[in-house]
Amino acid sequence: MPHSQADSAHLFTSESVSMGHPDKVADQISDAVLDSLLACDPQARAAVETLTTTGLVVVAGEVTVHNQAASDSLGRVEDTVRQAIRKIGYDDPTVGFDYRSCAVLRALHSQSQDISVGVTEGQGLHRQQGAGDQGLMFGFACDETESLMPLPIQLAHRLVEKMAHVREAGEIDWLRPDSKSQVTVRYEGGVPVGLHTVVISTQHTECAIDPATDLMSDEAKRSLVDKVIRPIIEQECPQFASDTPIMHINPTGRFVIGGPHGDSGLTGRKIIVDTYGGRGRHGGGAFSGKDPTKVDRSATYMARHIAKNIVAAGLAKQCEVQLAYAIGVAEPVSVSVDCAGTSDLPTASLERIIRDVFALTPGAIIDYLNLRRPIYFETARHGHFGRSGDGFTWENTDRVEDIRSAASVLQAV
């Protein structure tokens, strides 16, 4: 958050999109293909892009595998795609997109040798496993929530996650998979002090329509308030449970046509949803479909891990870490940190702590975070950060004592 905002009252808004949003469908398909390869070949490399539209999925990109099982998995890409769509919930051909009937086109080829030589350990100019591309990556953490995520994006993610839960559990039987959320939070002095606006737009069946108006019924809207919005506010920020935020629920009046039938979807088009909802900076690289040799993914996960541990260690109230790499080069070309004036330690000391505590070559990051596993399908829905579970190793705060020790040494010098 800019210093000027931290000193004044202001509003900040973040959005999330559901697993059934067309772009998220594309992200999940790309990561489902990646997972299918890593399950057979942990050294597999992939950069898989997906396009979705009415009745059609196109899967394209580059893939490198090293055994017959992974090659066989490539031959079953169509089935992998269809099962991913089924899990998302598109199982009714009347909505214009269905896992059984959609066409699946594949255009996958092997990775360029010019890239591969810089990524394969023991090859290339530097001999170590280098970064799969140049680029800059950011990680962010702040003390606004238990997960050390900004409150607006945390709430936005949990709202679409809750909608998926009540849909899959049959608690609201007229919900369909495509939905979006948006949350505006009031800040004073850089601290959240209340909820200002909550927006929910969700695809639904005709059962949610009031026949008298041909628009979404008031009863349907109340169901979303009672079963989705209020439970999430009470769970995530009980201090604001008595707030009466402005609520816009399906503000266009109806949302029957949705998903890939309503709009095309592309991998990598929701990079702000995938990160911090507009808080902090973004290096521009997307995640889904990319194996961990792509630092767009692995180094961004590592930057989040570092920032989260710095905040969890009490060294700052918010922290943004930047890592930057050159293709084929193992060590980062730069490491920088910005705590927006919330740390007592000088920036140079924090950067030294990061260098001393964390190994930052691509190979070291992959091993440290255990990234050569089929864990990515779940990351492509409901946010890559602020999550729990075995796959989200970058969310662990297990380096707090190491960071505090390193800080104590520097302060004693």
Side-chain angles (χ1 to χ4, degrees):
M1 184 178 300
H3 294 286
S4 60
Q5 290 188 356
D7 297 333
S8 62
H10 69 281
L11 303 175
F12 193 87
T13 302
S14 295
E15 73 159 346
S16 184
V17 299
S18 72
M19 66 171 74
H21 184 280
D23 294 330
K24 275 288 140 205
V25 173
D27 283 342
Q28 288 165 95
I29 289 172
S30 292
D31 274 336
V33 173
L34 172 62
D35 281 351
S36 72
L37 299 176
L38 291 174
C40 302
D41 177 9
Q43 300 297 320
R45 296 180 195 148
V48 179
E49 312 290 347
T50 300
L51 162 70
T52 65
T53 188
T54 303
L56 175 65
V57 176
V58 180
V59 180
E62 57 178 25
V63 172
T64 298
V65 296
H66 305 92
N67 59 43
Q68 187 59 48
S71 295
D72 292 343
S73 181
L74 274 176
R76 296 190 298 272
V77 161
E78 180 178 334
D79 184 60
T80 300
V81 170
R82 294 190 189 282
Q83 290 309 308
I85 297 169
R86 181 187 62 80
K87 290 177 183 177
I88 293 166
Y90 285 110
D91 54 7
D92 181 355
T94 65
V95 304
F97 192 73
D98 166 55
Y99 81 95
R100 300 179 188 88
S101 60
C102 68
V104 179
L105 303 182
R106 49 173 288 177
L108 299 169
H109 58 83
S110 60
Q111 184 182 47
S112 161
Q113 289 301 307
D114 294 345
I115 296 174
S116 179
V117 72
V119 179
T120 303
E121 188 171 1
Q123 297 183 14
L125 294 175
H126 302 276
R127 312 304 290 175
Q128 283 183 283
Q129 179 179 331
D133 201 350
Q134 70 179 47
L136 48 142
M137 300 84 206
F138 290 95
F140 184 82
C142 62
D143 64 359
E144 294 178 14
T145 60
E146 288 187 7
S147 63
L148 304 186
M149 287 287 284
L151 181 59
I153 189 66
Q154 180 75 1
L155 288 174
H157 282 325
R158 300 294 74 80
L159 286 169
V160 294
E161 187 176 52
K162 183 68 171 179
M163 278 191 283
H165 172 76
V166 299
R167 172 176 60 85
E168 292 172 342
E171 294 178 33
I172 302 180
D173 57 9
W174 45 259
L175 281 174
R176 279 179 171 163
D178 189 3
S179 61
K180 302 177 79 169
S181 66
Q182 188 170 280
V183 177
T184 303
V185 173
R186 298 197 313 271
Y187 285 82
E188 292 181 6
V191 177
V193 296
L195 300 180
H196 183 272
T197 303
V198 176
V199 182
I200 293 289
S201 294
T202 182
Q203 185 185 16
H204 54 82
T205 69
E206 294 286 350
C207 295
I209 295 293
D210 181 344
T213 64
D214 202 34
L215 300 175
M216 190 178 198
S217 69
D218 290 338
E219 180 183 359
K221 292 180 179 180
R222 281 194 298 271
S223 294
L224 289 172
V225 173
D226 294 341
K227 296 184 178 182
V228 175
I229 298 175
R230 284 299 173 192
I232 289 302
I233 291 173
E234 291 169 4
Q235 172 187 310
E236 297 294 328
C237 49
Q239 70 273 30
F240 302 142
S242 61
D243 284 9
T244 55
I246 300 165
M247 292 191 189
H248 297 296
I249 299 174
N250 276 30
T252 66
R254 57 183 291 135
F255 185 179
V256 174
I257 300 171
H261 181 48
D263 192 8
S264 61
L266 292 170
T267 301
R269 229 173 18 185
K270 288 293 176 282
I271 61 175
I272 300 303
V273 169
D274 283 347
T275 50
Y276 309 102
R279 284 290 295 277
R281 301 174 180 89
H282 197 292
F287 300 146
S288 291
K290 297 178 181 177
D291 75 87
T293 67
K294 278 72 172 177
V295 283
D296 278 343
R297 184 166 219 161
S298 54
T300 304
Y301 289 168
M302 190 64 176
R304 160 66 177 171
H305 180 67
I306 295 168
K308 187 174 183 180
N309 275 268
I310 287 174
V311 173
L315 270 61
K317 293 180 69 64
Q318 73 175 59
C319 180
E320 180 182 79
V321 173
Q322 185 201 53
L323 305 175
Y325 292 84
I327 187 168
V329 179
E331 290 291 341
V333 299
S334 68
V335 176
S336 66
V337 61
D338 180 2
C339 295
T342 67
S343 177
D344 293 331
L345 285 175
T347 297
S349 296
L350 289 167
E351 290 169 357
R352 180 173 175 182
I353 289 169
I354 292 170
R355 290 276 196 178
D356 289 346
V357 172
F358 299 97
L360 299 175
T361 65
I365 291 171
I366 290 168
D367 291 342
Y368 174 68
L369 295 178
N370 195 13
L371 298 180
R372 294 193 184 277
R373 298 181 293 153
I375 59 174
Y376 297 106
F377 180 78
E378 287 300 321
T379 70
R381 53 172 78 185
H382 309 142
H384 292 248
F385 306 122
R387 308 279 299 278
S388 60
D390 177 64
F392 295 88
T393 52
W394 48 91
E395 292 296 310
N396 294 337
T397 52
D398 48 1
R399 304 306 298 274
V400 164
E401 292 307 319
D402 295 332
I403 288 171
R404 288 173 178 164
S405 296
S408 296
V409 170
L410 286 179
Q411 289 171 325
V413 173

